[in-house]
Amino acid sequence: MDVTLGIIGGSGLYELPGLQGEWETIESPWGEPSDQVLRGTLDGTRMVFLPRHGRGHGLDPTGINYRANIDVMKRAGVTDLVSLSACGSLREDLPPGMFVIVDQFIDRTFARPKSFFGNGCVAHVSMAHPVSRDLGDRVEAAAKVVGVPVRRGGTYLAMEGPQFSSLAESQLYRAWGADVIGMTNMPEAKLAREAEIAYATVAMVTDFDSWHPEHGEVDIMSIIATMTQNADAARNLVATLAAATPPTREPCSTGSDMALETAIITTPEARDPALLAKLDAVAGRVLSRS
Ligand SMILES: CSC[C@H]1O[C@H](OP(=O)(O)O)[C@H](O)[C@@H]1O
Ligand SMILES: Nc1ncnc2[nH]cnc12
């Protein structure tokens, strides 16, 4: 399939220097995305960039319209989506500056719509392997070329926020085996899966959350200072990834391109035409044949 690389930029990543293109408005039936998208090419690779919190960081993690964001990425033709995210560390051996290519999630968010589907068209996709192994391979290779400290694999605990965790919560998440913590990658990863977009996350450690006896409480000023350093490396990583991205690729080995293949359980007669109309982009591949 033809590849279009999408990048969702998190805290501190509101533009992508080097991406030659235009900011474009893409309408979505799911409401307002975080911002316009910057669509163009970088080193010959078709790319679409969206700042998750909007330019100016006006949106908090709960207020982001994740469905509209993923829907506009799908409408823009994105096949491979990389999330760049600030995160806290829940492990001694993942210090600030470390980039973690996450492969699992624990979803503790509770105040966000989490699916494109629902009454009138019910679907249950597998989240056993929520990220694309192949895209993760390419991201890992790019990180190694850039020379950032990188860890392949890790569990990202998604919390609601916007407050940071209490000491007791931070200790609980460590006991669960979570490696990093953030506020945004859920339901983003679930929605990317539903939209059949290969997804990978680069979780860039900015702090030790609340558990570490030798590091004080998390504070936003020190997070931003570390994030500013991480952001330069993240932009280099994206440029390297773009240069190494092939124009076409094989089907994703973790099934990202086919996640809806057998997921929709509602019979064609019982489907709600209004919901089907909203699903035109994310589920068009499977809905058009029944
Ligand atoms: C600025 S610290 C808290 C904020 O940063 C992370 O967002 P993102 O994943 O978009 O980089 C974290 O999840 C919080 O939303
Ligand atoms: N400690 C933390 N908890 C949640 N989100 C974060 N983003 C950056 N650091 C974080």
Side-chain angles (χ1 to χ4, degrees):
M1 68 195 303
D2 289 346
V3 174
T4 297
L5 183 60
I7 304 288
I8 295 186
S11 300
L13 286 160
Y14 311 107
E15 27 73 49
L16 208 53
L19 176 54
Q20 309 286 326
E22 302 287 330
W23 288 93
E24 288 177 30
T25 302
I26 301 183
E27 304 283 342
S28 169
W30 299 95
E32 285 287 310
S34 296
D35 206 327
Q36 294 179 300
V37 297
L38 178 58
R39 181 149 49 165
T41 56
L42 180 53
D43 228 318
T45 293
R46 284 179 299 275
M47 285 187 59
V48 183
F49 172 77
L50 174 66
R52 181 184 283 123
H53 301 271
R55 284 167 284 180
H57 204 127
L59 296 170
D60 91 334
T62 302
I64 291 167
N65 186 339
Y66 296 92
R67 291 192 297 194
N69 285 356
I70 295 297
D71 181 70
V72 299
M73 286 303 206
K74 187 76 179 180
R75 286 177 198 281
V78 169
T79 54
D80 295 55
L81 179 59
V82 177
S83 148
L84 300 172
S85 281
C87 69
S89 168
L90 298 170
R91 294 173 59 109
E92 189 78 57
D93 58 355
L94 297 177
M98 180 73 87
F99 284 24
V100 182
I101 303 173
V102 164
D103 61 358
Q104 286 295 330
F105 297 95
I106 298 173
D107 186 3
R108 293 273 300 164
T109 64
F110 52 81
R112 311 164 185 196
K114 295 195 180 187
S115 178
F116 289 109
F117 298 90
N119 292 349
C121 191
V122 179
H124 302 281
V125 298
S126 167
M127 285 298 292
H129 303 291
V131 298
S132 164
R133 188 190 304 122
D134 311 345
L135 183 56
D137 286 346
R138 285 190 269 132
V139 172
E140 182 182 10
K144 287 184 172 156
V145 169
V146 170
V148 287
V150 63
R151 166 73 59 87
R152 182 69 187 268
T155 298
Y156 174 115
L157 187 133
M159 60 178 288
E160 187 63 47
Q163 302 86 356
F164 294 115
S165 305
S166 68
L167 173 59
E169 287 165 336
S170 200
Q171 288 171 337
L172 177 68
Y173 304 149
R174 273 165 58 73
W176 286 352
D179 299 297
V180 293
I181 182 163
M183 303 178 191
T184 60
N185 278 214
M186 283 290 172
E188 193 174 271
K190 287 178 172 167
L191 295 166
R193 186 91 186 150
E194 287 187 345
E196 299 190 325
I197 298 174
Y199 184 82
T201 283
V202 184
M204 299 173 287
V205 176
T206 53
D207 57 272
F208 275 112
D209 201 41
S210 313
W211 63 273
H212 201 296
E214 283 146 39
H215 293 269
E217 294 167 18
V218 197
D219 79 280
I220 199 73
M221 296 319 288
S222 58
I223 287 184
I224 286 168
T226 310
M227 195 54 231
T228 306
Q229 291 160 19
N230 286 350
D232 286 338
R235 282 188 272 267
N236 286 341
L237 188 156
V238 169
T240 307
L241 177 65
T245 296
T248 60
R249 66 163 170 79
E250 295 301 310
C252 171
S253 65
T254 34
S256 312
D257 318 314
M258 302 284 280
L260 286 177
E261 191 63 19
T262 55
I264 298 178
I265 193 166
T266 308
T267 57
E269 325 61 79
R271 293 179 189 167
D272 171 11
L275 178 53
L276 295 185
K278 290 171 75 172
L279 290 167
D280 63 331
V282 297
R285 186 186 73 79
V286 287
L287 290 175
S288 61
R289 66 184 184 203
S290 51

